[in-house]
Amino acid sequence: MSSNSLGYSEQGGETVSELGQEAVPTTAPSASPAFGLFSSDTKRNEDLKQMLESNKDSAKLDAMKRIVGMIAKGKNESELFPSVVKNVASKNIEIKKLVYVYLMRYAEEQQDLALLSISTFQRALKDPNQLIRASALRVLSSIRVPIIVPIMMLSIKEAAADLSPYVRKNAAHAIQKLYSLDPEQKEMLIEVIEKLLKDKSTLVAGSVVMSFEEVCPDRIDLIHKNYRKLCNLLVDVEEWGQVVIIHMMTRYARTQFVSPWKEDEEYNEKNFYESDEEQKEKNLKGKKPYAMDPDHRLLIRNTKPLLQSRNAAVVMAVAQLYWHVAPKSEIGIVSKSLVRLLRSNREVQYIVLQNIATMSIQRKGLFEPYLKSFYVRSTDPTMIKTLKLEILTNLANEANISTLLREFQTYVKSQDKQFAAATIQAIGRCATNISEVTDTCLNGLVCLLSNRDEIVVAESVVVIKKLLQTQPAHHGEIIKHMAKLLDNITVPVARASILWLIGEYCERVPKIAPDVLRKMAKSFTSEDDLVKLQILNLGAKLYLTNSKQTKFLTQYILNLGKYDQSYDIRDRTRFIRQLIVPNEKSGALSKYAKKIFLAQKPAPLLESPFKDRDHFQLGTLSHTLNTRATGYLELSNWPEVAPDPSVRNVDAIELVFNLEAASIAVTTPAILSPSLVADLEGLNLSSSSVIDVSIPVFVPMKTHELLHRMSGKGLAAHYHFPRQPCIYGDQMVSVQVTLTNTTDEKIENIHIGERKLPSDMRMHEFSPIESLEPEGSITVSMGIDFCDSTQTASLKLCTKDNHFSVNIQPPVGELLLPVIMSERDFKKEKGKLTGMNETSASVTVAPQNSTRLVIVQKVVNVANLGVVPSGEDNIHRFAAKTVHSGSLMLVTVELKEGSTARLIINTEKTVIGSILLRELKPVLSQG
């Protein structure tokens, strides 16, 4: 009964009712609804158990689909573990995949039963299917029993050398699990991490860096040889991997490069009248001008495109990298990207606004152009309103303060009292920071004292008190006005603030202060402790300055305090009596009573609560909480002298394929299992196939001239196609343009001007470049939608003084994105694209071009195609989708006897297919 009750409580009421109705027999209308509810869960699980015991694979598969589906909905299916685990050795690949999905979820809870199947998991690590191998490793690492640590270690080592990048990725994840189970394995795990860091697959990069951060973040030496590779892979790594790598690279840069801020600091410190000869003399003495390390520049350049990422965490990671690592003159580019994130949900807004609040304290200019983006909306939650208000206050200056004060007047009227109180504090900070508006703000706060809302009045009193401390000399009238409010204000903090003010400046209001003390003496016993303490202080100060009028009144108050219920009040009363009323027992301190009570107090500082948060790395949990979180890794200070940069040098390596699948198809043609990458289709529980875009097999370094330096009056431009999905639009081709200044003068305001494009073509131009130094070079990204054609994009490349007509025309092979698919799917899709959708030609193949590796190299050099595994030595298959329309492009190279080959292209885009056929023919026949 208890298990059934548990199942019932975990299900939504509506769903349970439906299950109950189905379970009640239609022949028994009088059956109790409750009986139906409780029996349905048992019956359902009994049915599933029977199906899992069945001899039919179809029944087992159906049961597993239903079980995994229920787990996805959040239902607890752990009681089925014994029935499911029996099928772990099933020969049906689909059943096995789903069983492993189930085991990954419950292996940690049902460790004893999972241990019984450990030999099966070990055998599965040798399975031909990469998904099964990876899943077996994940289940094995989920069994948190120290006795199997040696088995886990051996499995991780084998998986780290697996031919599949997907399995190697899971090996990296397993490292963290094993380390948390047995930290003594650290040294052996570091060896595996070192090996995986050398991996060239973008699928593995993020996961192994995460393991590095968890296991050995202090071993910076492991990163040296892989630094440049990680920088170059960064744009193609999956999003969460990008976040991890960028945070690690931020720490790395702070240990390996000298500060790029020195130049700015030295410039600021330089004598304005210092001559060039004197500066040269300083340089000769050893003060060399700052020159950024090329590896430092590589990191900053390669992370810049990620500011356009759709993932807020990636943008935030790049922003913090620029903040902590980039030259101060280049930090400005992050502001627009961070402001863009304010369109996201409130949780993202909260984190981004916290980081902007910290940044805006030191660099107001970064966000000043986006002032209106921080205006508060009525629909914003209080936490967002308060952060926006904080940023507006940080950005306040002489130029915009009048606009902000008008905005603040609206906020004070908000129904959100917490936000209204925060606004009053913000006005006080503005009054302190900007002397021109101090009186205006003070008068505005005095006006608020007549507000009907008690909280607004109370907060105004507290802020006015702080402001008057900064310049009390000519504000006697305000103090008098506030004294009159004591009859109406009931908030203890406000009453205490008014009494403190009157006591502190009692000599400026000699007629009012004694009267206030008289009134307070009447209500002393009913006041809050906070107010009582200030009444005692007021009495003491008046006793010392105006004893004639207040002597007996003060003694009366001291007598009341002597018998108060609060020991704080009683202690304060005894202390004050001994200090201000001398007797034979009084100590030496009584002589200095006036100096103690009437000493001039330092004015309070009205500062931002984010003032000291910048010692935590931006974007971290520690920064959000403003306290060190577990696992926080501090940024080190810049080294005075940069460590040896040669540690990052690696031997020149020939360009190789990014996809190991291509190499496997060459080296082990007998393997008939699906592609190592295409096996990911097994993650889909439906029977439909997965054909998805993959990373490029090969990226040619060939560049195309956009503008010759002679035609460009010293400005040279080249473009190339990086073969990566465009960050500006799914239908756009990514184009990288390298601009070089070959003159000895600075070229300013480089930008795209007039564009002459066909009506259906779109373009996302690069952001204007303010200036390009002599001999300087910069690479920028563009996106162009060529609409699946090789038509030319004509445009004007402009500078401050000139404009030049240029053209960008894509090779047909760059209009494609490679896809991953199995041989079975290739044949199925090819069967749909016959007849008019097929183009073919016979080619005479040069003898040296007849091997699989050479054919793959030749073909992917011409076109951005994915390699499809083939079980036939003489047939080579490639697949891609067109960037604009997503139409399949299937290429087959079938070697015949002798030196001929049949080249076949199947696609709906027959024009592109014909052009591609024409370009592939010569490369296969050339020697």
Side-chain angles (χ1 to χ4, degrees):
M1 180 62 73
S2 61
S3 63
N4 288 340
S5 301
L6 179 63
Y8 173 72
S9 66
E10 288 171 346
Q11 296 172 356
E14 187 177 338
T15 307
V16 175
S17 299
E18 290 172 3
L19 285 170
Q21 289 165 8
E22 289 173 3
V24 177
T26 53
T27 57
S30 61
S32 166
F35 176 79
L37 284 172
F38 288 107
S39 66
S40 62
D41 192 53
T42 306
K43 183 177 179 182
R44 175 175 56 78
N45 285 341
E46 285 302 320
D47 287 349
L48 291 172
K49 287 176 183 176
Q50 288 176 13
M51 293 169 74
L52 290 169
E53 299 282 346
S54 169
N55 293 327
K56 294 181 179 179
D57 281 352
S58 58
K60 291 181 178 180
L61 183 59
D62 186 44
M64 285 309 305
K65 284 182 178 180
R66 285 168 58 186
I67 292 168
V68 173
M70 286 185 285
I71 292 172
K73 292 177 182 176
K75 296 178 182 177
N76 185 0
E77 299 296 330
S78 57
E79 67 177 58
L80 291 169
F81 194 94
S83 302
V84 172
V85 80
K86 290 177 185 176
N87 292 284
V88 73
S90 173
K91 294 186 178 176
N92 184 301
I93 197 74
E94 297 300 322
I95 294 174
K96 188 180 278 192
K97 288 175 182 177
L98 294 175
V99 168
Y100 276 105
V101 170
Y102 179 92
L103 294 177
M104 278 182 267
R105 170 64 181 82
Y106 291 112
E108 195 164 341
E109 296 177 20
Q110 304 276 350
Q111 295 186 1
D112 291 341
L113 284 171
L115 278 172
L116 295 176
S117 306
I118 201 163
S119 59
T120 308
F121 304 143
Q122 288 180 279
R123 284 197 302 274
L125 291 169
K126 307 290 184 183
D127 194 279
N129 187 306
Q130 61 142 9
L131 188 66
I132 298 298
R133 298 199 301 277
S135 299
L137 181 61
R138 289 168 69 182
V139 175
L140 201 59
S141 60
S142 297
I143 304 174
R144 317 292 290 164
V145 179
I147 196 171
I148 67 163
V149 164
I151 297 173
M152 286 174 64
M153 176 58 77
L154 184 62
S155 302
I156 289 172
K157 285 184 174 180
E158 289 179 357
D162 197 280
L163 293 172
S164 163
Y166 182 66
V167 177
R168 299 199 299 275
K169 175 188 179 74
N170 279 276
H173 287 305
I175 288 171
Q176 302 168 54
K177 293 184 179 181
L178 179 53
Y179 179 68
S180 66
L181 179 63
D182 185 5
E184 292 183 5
Q185 303 296 320
K186 181 174 180 177
E187 292 306 317
M188 294 178 72
L189 290 174
I190 289 175
E191 292 177 14
V192 183
I193 290 172
E194 185 174 10
K195 179 180 180 180
L196 286 173
L197 279 170
K198 297 174 184 176
D199 202 298
K200 298 179 181 66
S201 171
T202 54
L203 200 62
V204 180
S207 301
V208 68
V209 170
M210 174 61 86
S211 294
F212 169 82
E213 292 282 82
E214 289 286 330
V215 178
C216 53
D218 54 329
R219 288 291 304 274
I220 292 292
D221 57 293
L222 300 180
I223 304 298
H224 291 325
K225 296 283 186 185
N226 303 291
Y227 173 83
R228 293 169 187 164
K229 180 197 72 179
L230 287 171
C231 286
N232 291 319
L233 285 180
L234 191 57
V235 75
D236 293 318
V237 174
E238 46 91 21
E239 293 167 342
W240 297 111
Q242 289 173 342
V243 174
V244 175
I245 293 172
I246 292 170
H247 276 280
M248 184 274 291
M249 288 298 203
T250 304
R251 288 193 307 106
Y252 181 88
R254 289 290 288 258
T255 63
Q256 300 301 309
F257 309 124
V258 294
S259 171
W261 308 331
K262 279 187 176 178
E263 193 175 31
D264 296 332
E265 292 162 6
E266 287 173 5
Y267 178 81
N268 292 335
E269 293 170 6
K270 181 181 171 183
N271 191 319
F272 183 77
Y273 296 102
E274 195 174 77
S275 67
D276 291 340
E277 286 74 16
E278 288 171 326
Q279 187 62 27
K280 285 177 186 175
E281 214 172 291
K282 280 188 180 180
N283 291 343
L284 289 171
K285 288 178 182 176
K287 283 196 173 182
K288 295 181 180 179
Y290 171 76
M292 182 175 279
D293 188 300
D295 286 329
H296 192 171
R297 173 55 63 191
L298 176 69
L299 175 61
I300 294 170
R301 184 174 66 244
N302 283 20
T303 52
K304 184 178 178 181
L306 297 181
L307 285 170
Q308 306 297 325
S309 173
R310 63 184 178 181
N311 188 307
V314 175
V315 177
M316 191 65 248
V318 177
Q320 66 81 29
L321 180 136
Y322 266 74
W323 181 258
H324 293 296
V325 169
K328 291 182 178 176
S329 57
E330 297 179 26
I331 297 174
I333 65 166
V334 308
S335 53
K336 187 175 182 180
S337 299
L338 289 177
V339 170
R340 172 173 65 87
L341 297 183
L342 298 182
R343 302 173 195 153
S344 307
N345 58 58
R346 60 178 61 181
E347 291 79 12
V348 171
Q349 284 185 56
Y350 179 73
I351 299 299
V352 172
L353 286 169
Q354 277 202 324
N355 287 276
I356 291 177
T358 300
M359 297 166 85
S360 61
I361 292 173
Q362 294 184 24
R363 302 291 300 274
K364 290 187 179 184
L366 277 182
F367 298 99
E368 208 175 325
Y370 308 100
L371 196 68
K372 289 187 178 179
S373 299
F374 303 109
Y375 282 2
V376 173
R377 297 190 180 97
S378 59
T379 54
D380 288 336
T382 303
M383 61 180 185
I384 301 297
K385 289 179 182 175
T386 309
L387 284 170
K388 285 185 174 180
L389 181 66
E390 178 66 33
I391 294 166
L392 290 173
T393 310
N394 291 343
L395 298 179
N397 57 34
E398 295 85 350
N400 60 30
I401 187 62
S402 57
T403 306
L404 288 181
L405 286 178
R406 282 197 298 273
E407 189 74 10
F408 289 171
Q409 284 174 10
T410 308
Y411 300 164
V412 169
K413 300 170 187 174
S414 171
Q415 296 299 313
D416 185 341
K417 300 310 171 191
Q418 184 183 341
F419 174 58
T423 303
I424 293 168
Q425 293 176 20
I427 293 171
R429 273 178 53 199
C430 291
T432 305
N433 299 336
I434 306 168
S435 56
E436 288 85 351
V437 295
T438 302
D439 290 339
T440 306
C441 292
L442 198 51
N443 292 332
L445 291 170
V446 171
C447 292
L448 290 176
L449 295 177
S450 57
N451 195 291
R452 292 181 183 178
D453 194 304
E454 210 171 57
I455 295 175
V456 171
V457 174
E459 201 65 41
S460 301
V461 167
V462 174
V463 174
I464 289 172
K465 170 202 159 189
K466 293 177 180 177
L467 288 177
L468 290 183
Q469 283 182 261
T470 62
Q471 42 182 342
H474 53 284
H475 291 306
E477 288 301 315
I478 293 177
I479 297 173
K480 290 177 186 177
H481 181 65
M482 293 174 75
K484 294 175 185 176
L485 294 172
L486 273 173
D487 295 334
N488 302 317
I489 293 178
T490 58
V491 179
V493 177
R495 290 176 70 80
S497 296
I498 294 174
L499 291 171
W500 185 91
L501 269 177
I502 294 169
E504 187 68 13
Y505 306 115
C506 57
E507 293 176 282
R508 302 184 197 281
V509 284
K511 294 180 180 178
I512 291 176
D515 195 47
V516 169
L517 185 64
R518 178 182 59 79
K519 286 183 179 180
M520 291 296 102
K522 287 181 182 180
S523 61
F524 183 87
T525 54
S526 60
E527 296 286 356
D528 185 89
D529 285 0
L530 194 63
V531 180
K532 286 179 181 177
L533 290 172
Q534 290 305 330
I535 294 172
L536 289 170
N537 286 345
L538 174 60
K541 291 174 183 176
L542 287 174
Y543 187 96
L544 294 170
T545 59
N546 190 358
S547 178
K548 185 178 178 182
Q549 279 186 285
T550 59
K551 179 178 180 180
F552 296 110
L553 199 52
T554 303
Q555 287 178 348
Y556 171 72
I557 291 169
L558 290 174
N559 286 334
L560 291 175
K562 183 178 179 181
Y563 300 103
D564 197 88
Q565 291 182 351
S566 168
Y567 59 82
D568 281 339
I569 306 298
R570 297 196 300 271
D571 286 351
R572 179 69 64 89
T573 301
R574 290 192 198 97
F575 169 72
I576 289 175
R577 188 188 294 276
Q578 291 297 320
L579 205 56
I580 67 172
V581 185
N583 56 47
E584 64 278 358
K585 293 182 181 179
S586 297
L589 274 180
S590 60
K591 299 175 185 177
Y592 305 103
K594 271 196 175 184
K595 288 186 178 180
I596 291 172
F597 275 102
L598 302 174
Q600 193 168 358
K601 316 293 191 299
L605 294 173
L606 297 174
E607 293 181 332
S608 167
F610 289 85
K611 183 175 184 293
D612 297 320
R613 280 205 197 184
D614 58 340
H615 63 275
F616 289 119
Q617 185 177 346
L618 297 187
T620 60
L621 179 62
S622 297
H623 177 269
T624 301
L625 301 177
N626 198 23
T627 187
R628 178 186 291 274
T630 304
Y632 175 71
L633 301 169
E634 280 197 6
L635 286 179
S636 61
N637 294 324
W638 295 102
E640 286 297 320
V641 179
D644 182 11
S646 65
V647 294
R648 290 183 291 278
N649 293 340
V650 289
D651 297 331
I653 300 173
E654 294 183 8
L655 288 171
V656 294
F657 298 125
N658 287 330
L659 282 181
E660 278 74 359
S663 301
I664 293 165
V666 175
T667 56
T668 54
I671 295 177
L672 301 179
S673 63
S675 160
L676 293 174
V677 179
D679 264 348
L680 287 171
E681 72 185 43
L683 291 172
N684 188 353
L685 299 183
S686 68
S687 57
S688 60
S689 302
V690 173
I691 301 174
D692 208 354
V693 174
S694 70
I695 58 174
V697 175
F698 177 74
V699 180
M701 301 309 293
K702 181 182 179 182
T703 61
H704 309 269
E705 187 174 77
L706 186 65
L707 180 66
H708 191 272
R709 62 183 179 83
M710 298 298 290
S711 308
K713 299 182 179 179
L715 176 65
H718 291 79
Y719 66 93
H720 83 281
F721 299 89
R723 289 190 175 179
Q724 59 193 22
C726 184
I727 58 177
Y728 305 118
D730 293 340
Q731 296 181 316
M732 290 185 170
V733 175
S734 183
V735 183
Q736 289 190 348
V737 180
T738 302
L739 303 160
T740 307
N741 181 359
T742 63
T743 70
D744 54 2
E745 293 181 356
K746 186 161 61 174
I747 299 178
E748 297 181 342
N749 192 20
I750 305 173
H751 63 282
I752 298 295
E754 181 187 354
R755 297 181 290 185
K756 295 181 181 177
L757 306 176
S759 58
D760 52 349
M761 189 184 289
R762 296 179 300 118
M763 176 188 295
H764 188 288
E765 59 197 47
F766 59 83
S767 301
I769 299 164
E770 291 182 12
S771 63
L772 188 59
E773 298 297 324
E775 304 302 321
S777 181
I778 188 170
T779 301
V780 293
S781 296
M782 298 174 61
I784 305 177
D785 183 356
F786 289 103
C787 301
D788 290 349
S789 72
T790 55
Q791 56 190 332
T792 301
S794 301
L795 51 132
K796 298 278 189 185
L797 182 60
C798 306
T799 65
K800 181 181 177 183
D801 305 312
N802 301 291
H803 54 86
F804 313 100
S805 297
V806 295
N807 298 311
I808 297 178
Q809 184 173 23
V812 67
E814 306 305 333
L815 299 174
L816 307 173
L817 288 173
V819 298
I820 51 176
M821 61 193 314
S822 65
E823 184 178 10
R824 179 193 65 196
D825 290 333
F826 183 95
K827 291 176 179 178
K828 183 171 73 175
E829 295 296 333
K830 183 179 177 182
K832 300 176 186 176
L833 296 168
T834 54
M836 297 291 289
N837 293 321
E838 182 171 291
T839 312
S840 62
S842 293
V843 184
T844 303
V845 180
Q848 62 270 33
N849 291 353
S850 59
T851 66
R852 181 180 289 270
L853 184 60
V854 173
I855 289 173
V856 169
Q857 287 176 328
K858 295 275 187 182
V859 171
V860 298
N861 185 47
V862 171
N864 191 15
L865 296 162
V867 179
V868 178
S870 174
E872 302 161 271
D873 291 345
N874 64 319
I875 299 180
H876 313 288
R877 300 181 174 91
F878 307 87
K881 286 182 178 180
T882 58
V883 176
H884 175 81
S885 64
S887 301
L888 273 178
M889 181 75 62
L890 306 177
V891 178
T892 307
V893 180
E894 185 177 353
L895 297 175
K896 303 288 186 181
E897 290 185 5
S899 58
T900 61
R902 187 74 174 161
L903 186 57
I904 308 166
I905 296 181
N906 299 80
T907 179
E908 291 176 351
K909 296 289 181 179
T910 52
V911 175
I912 298 181
S914 299
I915 300 172
L916 182 59
L917 187 75
R918 194 164 61 239
E919 293 194 3
L920 285 174
K921 284 170 63 177
V923 299
L924 291 173
S925 58
Q926 288 170 359

